[in-house]
Amino acid sequence: MFLSFFIARRIYRESEGGKRVSRPAVFIAMAGITIGLAVMIIAVAVVVGFKKEVRDKVVGFGSHIQITNLDAVESYETHPVVVGDSMMRALMNYSEVSHVQRYSTKPGMIKTDDAFQGMVLKGVGPEFDPSFMKRYLIEGEVPVFSDSISTNSVLVSKVLADKLRLKLGDKIYTYYIQDDVRVRRLTIVGIYQTNFSEYDNLFLLTDLNLVNRLNGWKNGQVSGVELQVRDYDKLYDVTYQIALDTDKCQDAFGGTYYVRNIEEINPQIFAWLDLLDLNVWVILILMIGVAGFTMISGLLIIIIERTNMIGVLKALGADNLTIRKVFLWFAVFLIGKGMVWGNVIGVGLCVLQQRIGLFKLDPETYYVDTVPMSFNVLFFLLINAGTLLASVLILIGPSYLITRINPARSIRYE
């Protein structure tokens, strides 16, 4: 083992000095590893970042778990359920639940002097967590919403504001059709932009009290309750546990509770995100294949150039396994150098994109305005380890060429 390592290191040093080993072959082999590893790091960072960005936006609007009326599953015109203080405390007692908040919705329409737009008015109470909205707020402020009075304050998206030519501080007239047409005048106190069109084109945020009065509901009735969990990986376990305790139970007015998590509410979005994993595997396999085949061609050229040395080593008593280890160690040195440059380029581009957003996207199509990056140390280590292992395994087969070299002929080889 030590002899093979020592000879391989000497060959590697000669290759750096440009003596006997073909420098183009060495360069192409390292370039294949460098480019392949850099592409793999960037691809994984982009897909993980994109999935996280989209998932966070869906969760930001709908929370991790919702408890609603069973009759309201397929409609924005929700049927109410009773969510009192005792139920709120009971839900908070689950160890994996970090936050609980009530909400109510009411479909309606915004009308200005020259345009109109359908929308859903979503009311939240004082327990509402404003961190998501503050993250995407571009003008104004997120007020403290109320469940006892109506401040007539509303948050609208930049998409709706641009469509209807609205600005901060404007008063808008909203219309709701029930038994008759009801009108409410609301004041825009904040404008947000998440670039998630499914929600930006639809939702306005206001007081829970206002929406409940528009719906004509009794005290304690709401559209549902939203729960945040501490660990997303335990989402289905928490959903199942809460559903066991809550599903099919009825409130004081006959409403039936129904528990769903965000992936069950938006299956098409999360199915689409899961398909991205297939793209990553395709990229990883292709890049490892490209890197492996460039290393094979480089190794074969190096073996041919070192035919004379192989013959001398065999004449001195070295067996085929020892000589194969020499060239495999040499390949490891080349792979290692290529991986160093691949990491530098891949991680460097990821950091650059995170800091300055060099590469832009169309938010109407991709839900984000720049290419998102999420650097995961575990994935980074697995990619590096997998690249090294796969490249060395690919080279084991070609290294058997050494066994075909005849010492008597190879010593005379030039």
Side-chain angles (χ1 to χ4, degrees):
M1 177 66 74
F2 179 77
L3 177 62
S4 301
F5 180 84
F6 175 78
I7 297 173
R9 188 174 60 176
R10 289 296 299 271
I11 300 174
Y12 177 70
R13 287 178 177 176
E14 286 186 9
S15 72
E16 289 188 324
K19 293 180 180 179
R20 292 181 59 91
V21 178
S22 173
R23 288 183 65 80
V26 172
F27 176 78
I28 291 172
M30 287 195 302
I33 294 292
T34 298
I35 295 171
L37 183 60
V39 170
M40 287 188 284
I41 290 173
I42 293 171
V44 172
V46 169
V47 170
V48 173
F50 183 77
K51 290 179 68 174
K52 182 178 183 300
E53 191 76 14
V54 173
R55 189 187 74 183
D56 288 350
K57 288 182 180 181
V58 176
V59 170
F61 278 106
S63 197
H64 290 115
I65 300 172
Q66 291 183 8
I67 303 177
T68 59
N69 192 314
L70 181 61
D71 296 330
V73 171
E74 299 297 333
S75 172
Y76 282 118
E77 189 68 59
T78 57
H79 298 264
V81 289
V82 175
V83 180
D85 293 339
S86 59
M87 183 175 181
M88 295 280 283
R89 286 193 297 270
L91 293 173
M92 279 300 300
N93 285 334
Y94 287 96
S95 59
E96 291 297 327
V97 173
S98 60
H99 184 73
V100 179
Q101 60 188 38
R102 299 161 296 163
Y103 75 95
S104 292
T105 57
K106 179 70 176 176
M109 181 179 67
I110 307 172
K111 187 178 183 304
T112 62
D113 293 337
D114 54 1
F116 62 90
Q117 175 71 38
M119 58 81 181
V120 173
L121 191 65
K122 181 177 181 178
V124 293
E127 70 276 9
F128 172 70
D129 181 4
S131 56
F132 174 77
M133 280 299 170
K134 286 181 178 179
R135 177 181 173 187
Y136 293 103
L137 193 71
I138 58 176
E139 287 186 75
E141 62 178 3
V142 179
V144 177
F145 294 107
S146 175
D147 60 353
S148 57
I149 61 172
S150 298
T151 63
N152 293 325
S153 300
V154 68
L155 290 179
V156 303
S157 70
K158 188 176 185 300
V159 174
L160 290 179
D162 290 343
K163 282 183 179 179
L164 300 175
R165 300 177 184 177
L166 301 172
K167 61 182 183 299
L168 195 67
D170 281 356
K171 299 185 184 302
I172 57 173
Y173 285 92
T174 58
Y175 297 81
Y176 310 91
I177 300 175
Q178 208 159 337
D179 295 331
D180 55 359
V181 178
R182 308 179 70 178
V183 183
R184 288 293 183 274
R185 190 176 76 164
L186 307 175
T187 303
I188 299 175
V189 297
I191 298 176
Y192 67 90
Q193 182 180 17
T194 68
N195 293 317
F196 202 80
S197 56
E198 275 79 357
Y199 292 93
D200 283 1
N201 290 328
L202 198 61
F203 282 98
L204 279 67
L205 210 60
T206 189
D207 297 302
L208 183 67
N209 177 267
L210 172 61
V211 178
N212 284 346
R213 288 197 296 115
L214 285 170
N215 284 318
W217 290 342
K218 296 179 175 60
N219 186 39
Q221 288 185 317
V222 291
S223 294
V225 59
E226 298 173 333
L227 291 77
Q228 294 276 355
V229 300
R230 303 183 191 280
D231 185 355
Y232 189 87
D233 293 334
K234 298 180 180 178
L235 178 64
Y236 276 90
D237 292 336
V238 179
T239 305
Y240 179 73
Q241 183 59 52
I242 295 174
L244 283 178
D245 300 336
T246 309
D247 264 4
K248 310 303 182 184
C249 296
Q250 291 189 337
D251 62 19
F253 300 98
T256 303
Y257 296 105
Y258 184 58
V259 181
R260 293 181 298 167
N261 62 46
I262 196 67
E263 295 187 11
E264 295 168 335
I265 296 171
N266 299 281
Q268 69 285 356
I269 294 178
F270 286 93
W272 168 56
L273 292 179
D274 289 338
L275 284 176
L276 297 178
D277 294 336
L278 177 62
N279 296 340
V280 172
W281 281 110
V282 171
I283 292 173
L284 292 179
I285 292 171
L286 288 177
M287 288 301 100
I288 289 177
V290 169
F293 283 114
T294 57
M295 281 302 303
I296 288 174
S297 61
L299 181 64
L300 292 177
I301 292 172
I302 293 165
I303 290 174
I304 292 172
E305 287 191 344
R306 288 284 174 170
T307 300
N308 184 276
M309 185 198 76
I310 294 171
V312 172
L313 289 174
K314 285 189 174 184
L316 292 174
D319 58 19
N320 287 322
L321 179 60
T322 300
I323 301 173
R324 285 175 54 216
K325 287 181 180 179
V326 169
F327 287 93
L328 289 176
W329 271 115
F330 177 76
V332 169
F333 294 149
L334 294 184
I335 294 169
K337 188 172 182 179
M339 289 177 61
V340 169
W341 282 108
N343 283 312
V344 170
I345 295 172
V347 175
L349 286 175
C350 289
V351 172
L352 190 65
Q353 177 64 20
Q354 281 182 324
R355 296 291 176 85
I356 65 175
L358 188 63
F359 302 101
K360 305 294 183 182
L361 292 175
D362 178 11
E364 289 293 326
T365 304
Y366 297 101
Y367 305 126
V368 290
D369 53 4
T370 62
V371 176
M373 294 283 186
S374 180
F375 189 79
N376 187 297
V377 176
L378 177 60
F379 288 159
F380 172 77
L381 295 176
L382 288 175
I383 290 171
N384 277 271
T387 300
L388 177 60
L389 181 61
S391 299
V392 172
L393 290 176
I394 288 173
L395 295 177
I396 290 177
S399 70
Y400 277 97
L401 177 63
I402 293 168
T403 64
R404 307 296 298 273
I405 296 176
N406 184 282
R409 294 177 182 175
S410 61
I411 291 174
R412 298 194 301 269
Y413 178 83
E414 292 292 341

